[in-house]
Amino acid sequence: MNNKVGLVLEGGGFRGLYTAGVLHYFQKIGIEFPYIVAVSMGASNATNYLSKQTQRNLDVPYTFVTDKRYISYQRLITKGELFGMDFIFNEVPNKYIPFDTDAFSKSQKKLVYVTTNCETGLPYYIPNNNNQESFKALEASTSLPFASKMVKLNNKLLLDGGISDPIPIDKALKDGYEKLVVVLTQPQTYRKNPFRGKLIAKWMYKKYPKLIDAILSRHEVYNKQLDQIEELARKGSAFVIRPAKVLPVKRTEKNKEKLKEAFDLGYHSAEQLQKQLLQFIG
């Protein structure tokens, strides 16, 4: 493979099961990338990709999505946390569906976790230099606004990277990767609408005005990134894998079979595009 080909993964909650299916196919046929930059659910998918456990990306939500320890609207009301982060990041990988920390730490791939600095409203990028920081970075990258507590790391308060840099193509380009494989979770016709919860954002994050600005301008950033991706694709610098139509899953889907369907759609997309992809990555 060309060493200057990078992989860019967006988030999207459980729509990320589509990306999980794509990566599962990559693992099956041995497609690897020297560099990955990933956001939110995409970052979770990438972490299992580095440990060569892409099946975990389906197995964990499929097993626990109806378990209140994993996701609970009651906990969101009482504790401000929709997902049980301690359960997800401690009990699941150590007790129920083991994560191979040795394989992850031995990986030679560079993985950049995208988070958002709540005080500046800007993206904060964290490379996989060591396991402890990587797992904390993953927790921050997957901490959805309004549904998660801020994560403290490196004297910063962090949330979901999708707030400030939802499709981090510029980061990959700045890091020297001339060709990008981009996995998206929405069809080509999709454009993001303005956020409707302006008053909620201003109330909940009143101490963090720059975070509010980032939340309210996210749709503009996202749509500009989509336009940039289309331009890169026209120039032959980007290869895009995305669903042909809107995925059958909601952002916080609880139907297990729909999760599996999204995973299978991603797998088949990668399978169908294999020949063109291999030509692109050289």
Side-chain angles (χ1 to χ4, degrees):
M1 174 189 286
N2 187 332
N3 286 332
K4 287 300 180 182
V5 180
L7 178 63
V8 180
L9 307 176
E10 74 162 326
F14 285 140
R15 290 196 308 273
L17 267 295
Y18 176 85
T19 304
V22 171
L23 295 184
H24 193 55
Y25 187 76
F26 286 178
Q27 180 179 300
K28 177 185 176 182
I29 65 171
I31 293 180
E32 298 185 345
F33 295 84
Y35 172 96
I36 306 166
V37 58
V39 181
S40 200
M41 183 66 167
S44 181
N45 289 330
T47 299
N48 286 314
Y49 181 50
L50 260 64
S51 70
K52 299 186 183 298
Q53 294 176 286
T54 52
Q55 183 66 40
R56 286 190 84 251
N57 288 324
L58 174 63
D59 289 349
V60 172
Y62 190 89
T63 303
F64 294 109
V65 74
T66 56
D67 190 320
K68 290 183 178 180
R69 293 173 298 174
Y70 184 82
I71 183 170
S72 167
Y73 288 97
Q74 182 179 357
R75 182 176 50 244
L76 176 61
I77 295 169
T78 59
K79 297 183 178 180
E81 192 175 74
L82 177 61
F83 291 91
M85 295 307 233
D86 184 64
F87 178 73
I88 291 169
F89 287 98
N90 290 311
E91 289 189 58
V92 172
N94 293 314
K95 184 177 179 181
Y96 297 110
I97 303 178
F99 177 76
D100 192 339
T101 53
D102 288 339
F104 177 81
S105 62
K106 290 176 182 176
S107 174
Q108 297 300 306
K109 303 179 188 69
K110 181 177 181 180
L111 170 56
V112 178
Y113 293 96
V114 184
T115 70
T116 296
N117 184 323
C118 297
E119 293 175 322
T120 67
L122 299 174
Y124 179 62
Y125 306 105
I126 307 166
N128 58 325
N129 291 334
N130 66 74
N131 284 6
Q132 185 175 0
E133 187 174 75
S134 293
F135 300 148
K136 202 67 178 175
L138 174 57
E139 182 181 348
S141 188
T142 56
S143 291
L144 302 175
F146 310 106
S148 306
K149 296 177 182 178
M150 295 177 182
V151 174
K152 293 182 181 179
L153 179 62
N154 298 336
N155 295 316
K156 294 174 174 62
L157 292 173
L158 306 173
L159 278 175
D160 178 10
I163 299 169
S164 57
D165 195 4
I167 317 175
I169 44 177
D170 277 336
K171 175 60 176 170
L173 294 170
K174 288 176 182 176
D175 283 349
Y177 291 84
E178 300 163 355
K179 298 177 75 175
L180 305 177
V181 174
V182 185
V183 183
L184 303 177
T185 60
Q186 295 279 15
Q188 190 168 9
T189 55
Y190 176 79
R191 288 297 182 273
K192 186 173 289 295
N193 294 319
F195 179 64
R196 295 180 178 179
K198 184 176 181 179
L199 293 178
I200 297 174
K202 288 189 171 184
W203 171 75
M204 190 165 183
Y205 296 121
K206 55 189 174 184
K207 294 181 180 179
Y208 305 94
K210 291 182 179 179
L211 177 63
I212 295 171
D213 290 342
I215 291 171
L216 297 182
S217 63
R218 180 174 181 248
H219 69 288
E220 297 174 358
V221 173
Y222 187 89
N223 293 335
K224 284 179 182 178
Q225 289 175 331
L226 289 177
D227 292 340
Q228 186 180 0
I229 289 167
E230 294 303 318
E231 181 62 25
L232 289 171
R234 281 193 292 271
K235 292 178 178 178
S237 299
F239 186 95
V240 184
I241 301 175
R242 57 171 31 124
K245 58 183 180 180
V246 175
L247 292 171
V249 290
K250 295 178 291 187
R251 192 175 181 87
T252 54
E253 183 63 59
K254 300 193 80 169
N255 183 312
K256 292 185 175 187
E257 296 312 313
K258 287 185 178 181
L259 298 178
K260 178 65 164 58
E261 183 180 352
F263 182 88
D264 290 342
L265 285 170
Y267 183 92
H268 293 308
S269 289
E271 185 177 40
Q272 291 166 0
L273 292 169
Q274 176 186 337
K275 184 177 179 180
Q276 299 97 302
L277 175 61
L278 291 176
Q279 290 176 341
F280 176 82
I281 64 180

